[in-house]
Amino acid sequence: MKSKDTTFLRLMAVLLLGLAKPVFAQSQSTPDIDIGAMVRPVPSNAVFSEKDYFVWCGSMIKGHDKKYHLFYSRWPKKMGHYAWVTDSEIAHAVADHPNGPYKFVNVVLKARDRKYWDGSTTHNPTVLFKNGKYYLYYMGTTGTGKINYPPSAKDDAWWEYRNNQRIGVAVASDPSGTWKRLDKPVLDIGDINAYDGVMVSNPAVTFSKDNKVVLVYKEVEKGNSFKGGKVRFGVAFANSPFGPFKKEAKPIFELKTAEKEWMIAEDPYIWFQNDFYFAIVRDVIGKYTGQEGALALLVSKDAKDWQAAKHPLVVGKTFKWENGRDSGTKLERPQLYFENGIPKILFGAMDDNTEGPRSNSVNVRVPLKQ
């Protein structure tokens, strides 16, 4: 081969490698991930709903049966929006394709005797697979107070159920099989003066490179009323999916410019990739993206110290449907579905207010450009 031909081939190789820049390009200091640039308008049929139920959350996993299993929270519409904390249950839907359509199959974590920590409610599912087992983390609660339906946050009994929230895990060998849950929470509250002295909920879980379990969770500290004080997030680590979990002493997702705020972030989804931890959170007051209620991407080297990613905006405070119509409401409870290490679908919950405020809620599948 002539020298000029060799030079040409080398030049073409360099150009092609440059064009093949991966979505998850990174340096050791700042991963260069732009999920927001992958977000596409949402087809009208990319919605999962149930006629008689509020649908919330939504964590999907591909089973060994090659089907796609969606685990979500639901509660009867007739009980009203605030019954999520008193009467929610975790249900299961299945599809032949990751984009759906999904069809209800069964309820996997029903209400049980209220003597149990999760006897009244199961909510906030997130599902993972590890070493031949499926793990379903969730929030559970119970209470003894009499609930007047529809429930209201003005009632003391409602706050009893809210403050009894704890985090648990169920395990199964098959996502369509029987889920075995524990009689005790896998993560409980701390002492009364701790950041999580009132309640813990909203579990987000991933596995580290050395197979440790990393659990990020919502926490509420003591306050002057049933409502409690600040709402923050903590992180805990364990060697087993069943714990015991060792909590990090200080809250995460903190910002010096928002230390006095009641809540900064909410609804985290976390994952570990390319030696970094990533989180998508709801930017409650707009400190990460500049948009209140938007979804923000955060990054961390150790799951303890977090910062906004180079491209923090994932989805704005509203999103676009394929027909050009604006959603008119924010997306909450984000969860990603990955294929070959690349995010393919962003699942999220939203209020569907077509029949009035908080009259319905659904799960939405946001397509991501590959």
Side-chain angles (χ1 to χ4, degrees), residues 6 63 81 97 157 164 178 211 234 280 305 370:
T6 303
H81 170 81
H97 189 277
N164 282 340
T178 300
N211 288 320
I280 298 178
D305 297 315
Q370 301 305 295

Side-chain angles (χ1 to χ4, degrees), residues 176-280:
S176 292
T178 300
W179 289 86
K180 181 181 179 181
R181 51 179 161 173
L182 308 181
D183 290 342
K184 293 184 179 180
V186 74
L187 191 81
D188 210 329
I189 60 173
D191 66 63
I192 192 62
N193 294 313
Y195 292 105
D196 60 358
V198 173
M199 54 146 278
V200 291
S201 66
N202 286 39
V205 188
T206 191
F207 296 97
S208 68
K209 183 165 60 176
D210 57 359
N211 288 320
K212 288 189 181 298
V213 187
V214 182
L215 170 61
V216 169
Y217 60 97
K218 183 177 180 177
E219 56 188 10
V220 176
E221 65 182 9
K222 180 183 177 182
N224 297 322
S225 67
F226 286 122
K227 187 177 181 180
K230 292 179 182 177
V231 179
R232 290 296 186 263
F233 278 84
V235 63
F237 304 87
N239 293 320
S240 163
F242 304 107
F245 282 91
K246 183 178 180 181
K247 299 175 181 177
E248 182 68 10
K250 296 181 179 180
I252 61 174
F253 305 155
E254 287 294 276
L255 293 169
K256 290 184 178 179
T257 57
E259 290 176 341
K260 295 182 179 180
E261 297 288 348
W262 174 60
M263 182 164 57
I264 304 169
E266 194 180 28
D267 292 343
Y269 167 78
I270 66 169
W271 75 99
F272 180 80
Q273 190 170 21
N274 295 345
D275 295 325
F276 285 89
Y277 293 93
F278 300 94
I280 298 178

